[in-house]
């Protein structure tokens, strides 16, 4: 049985309970999409009132990290606030909204990657593009999605901006999940050079303007398909 938690009471108790709950989520002790302990169990363990506990759970629900399902329980939906915000975007916004956000993130990631990418990152990008092309040609849609997403993640990481990479990573299910389904439409070009081969060439040439232009062209193409769906 878990021991009773003692709080410092240096600030509002609900804030300390919120931090305690968040730590269980971030650490992986409470995995994503799993139900957390019941209200009764948590009240007993934390030695707090139902009102204080519910206030803490409400705060993390607003952050997108928890979801309360009446008659069932409370579930972990995201492992941090970035991920939580991303999940809310996924539920509340259109494909075109998501793509417009990518115009900002992808363009800046491309510019910085052109300046900062090292030889290892460039080699990884080349390998992922080869994998992506093979998957598309063999009609392995999930393989294509995975390679394409990993390519963009490596670009974000190669930017050298850890915060940009973290924000980008948090949008995994949105940028390459079922919501962005234009890739499945007949006629969509899954091997478009813009934003991929052309982007890598610009990164290899340390040309940030060409890198940004390549990303813009790719996203404009995707936007044209999203607007048809």
């Amino acid at each position: 049985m878990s021991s009773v938690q003692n709080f410092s009471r240096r600030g509002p108790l609900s804030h300390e309970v919120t931090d305690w709950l968040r730590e269980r989520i971030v650490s992986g002790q409470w995995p994503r999409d799993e139900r957390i302990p019941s209200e009764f169990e948590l009240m007993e363990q934390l030695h707090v009132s139902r009102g204080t506990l519910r206030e803490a759970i409400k705060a993390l629900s607003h952050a997108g990290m928890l979801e309360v399902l009446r008659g069932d329980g409370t579930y972990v939906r995201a492992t941090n606030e970035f991920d939580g915000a991303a999940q809310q975007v996924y539920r509340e916004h259109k494909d075109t909204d998501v793509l417009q956000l990518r115009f900002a993130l992808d363009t800046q990631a491309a510019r910085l990657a052109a300046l900062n990418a090292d030889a290892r990152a460039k080699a990884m990008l080349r390998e992922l593009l080869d994998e992506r092309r093979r998957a598309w040609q063999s009609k392995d849609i999930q393989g294509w999605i995975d390679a394409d997403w990993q390519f963009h993640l490596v670009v974000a990481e190669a930017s050298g901006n850890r915060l940009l990479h973290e924000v980008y990573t948090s949008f995994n299910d949105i940028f390459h999940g079922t919501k962005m389904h234009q890739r499945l439409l007949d006629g969509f070009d899954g091997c478009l050079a813009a934003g991929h081969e052309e982007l890598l060439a610009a990164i290899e040439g340390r040309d940030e303007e060409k890198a940004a232009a390549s990303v813009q062209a790719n996203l404009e193409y995707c936007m044209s398909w999203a607007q048809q769906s």
Side-chain angles (χ1 to χ4, degrees), residues 57-109:
I57 289 175
K58 183 178 180 180
L60 293 178
S61 296
H62 285 166
M65 295 178 70
L66 292 175
E67 181 182 14
V68 179
L69 300 179
R70 290 185 179 276
D72 188 2
T74 300
Y75 288 79
V76 176
R77 294 308 188 203
T79 57
N80 55 60
E81 279 84 352
F82 279 137
D83 193 17
Q87 296 308 311
Q88 291 176 330
V89 168
Y90 181 83
R91 292 191 295 268
E92 299 171 7
H93 296 277
K94 300 179 295 183
D95 293 356
T96 51
D97 295 329
V98 173
L99 280 168
Q100 285 165 356
L101 175 61
R102 287 195 60 181
F103 273 97
L105 291 178
D106 284 33
T107 301
Q108 185 63 10

Side-chain angles (χ1 to χ4, degrees), residues 29-206:
Q29 184 174 332
W30 294 345
R32 184 170 173 172
D33 293 327
E34 293 292 323
R35 184 167 51 191
I36 71 172
S38 68
E39 272 192 358
F40 178 79
E41 292 175 284
L42 290 173
M43 287 165 56
E44 188 174 65
Q45 182 176 353
L46 302 178
H47 202 60
V48 297
S49 69
R50 177 175 280 106
T52 296
L53 177 61
R54 287 185 174 178
E55 189 174 343
I57 289 175
K58 183 178 180 180
L60 293 178
S61 296
H62 285 166
M65 295 178 70
L66 292 175
E67 181 182 14
V68 179
L69 300 179
R70 290 185 179 276
D72 188 2
T74 300
Y75 288 79
V76 176
R77 294 308 188 203
T79 57
N80 55 60
E81 279 84 352
F82 279 137
D83 193 17
Q87 296 308 311
Q88 291 176 330
V89 168
Y90 181 83
R91 292 191 295 268
E92 299 171 7
H93 296 277
K94 300 179 295 183
D95 293 356
T96 51
D97 295 329
V98 173
L99 280 168
Q100 285 165 356
L101 175 61
R102 287 195 60 181
F103 273 97
L105 291 178
D106 284 33
T107 301
Q108 185 63 10
R111 286 182 178 278
L112 291 174
L115 298 177
N116 300 317
D118 57 20
R120 175 179 169 276
K122 293 172 185 177
M124 289 178 63
L125 291 172
R126 178 61 61 193
E127 182 178 333
L128 286 166
L129 284 183
D130 290 342
E131 183 179 335
R132 174 177 174 273
R133 185 184 306 104
R134 288 194 298 269
W136 185 261
Q137 291 173 346
S138 63
K139 302 186 185 303
D140 176 8
I141 298 300
Q142 189 57 53
W144 178 86
I145 290 172
D146 292 343
D148 191 63
W149 171 239
Q150 286 301 316
F151 175 85
H152 291 291
L153 268 185
V154 173
V155 172
E157 184 177 21
S159 73
N161 185 314
R162 291 178 59 187
L163 180 58
L164 189 154
H165 180 236
E166 185 175 346
V167 171
Y168 202 92
T169 300
S170 72
F171 282 90
N172 183 0
D173 291 338
I174 300 165
F175 286 175
H176 283 76
T178 55
K179 190 176 180 67
M180 303 306 294
H181 56 78
Q182 73 269 6
R183 64 180 65 89
L184 302 176
L185 300 177
D186 288 341
F188 180 79
D189 184 359
C191 285
L192 193 72
H196 301 90
E197 281 80 8
E198 290 178 3
L199 172 57
L200 178 54
I203 290 173
E204 290 174 333
R206 296 179 60 82

Side-chain angles (χ1 to χ4, degrees), residues 2 20 23-32 34 37 45 76:
S2 300
W20 188 92
E23 174 57 30
R24 267 77 197 151
I25 297 169
V26 172
S27 68
Q29 184 174 332
W30 294 345
R32 184 170 173 172
E34 293 292 323
Q45 182 176 353
V76 176

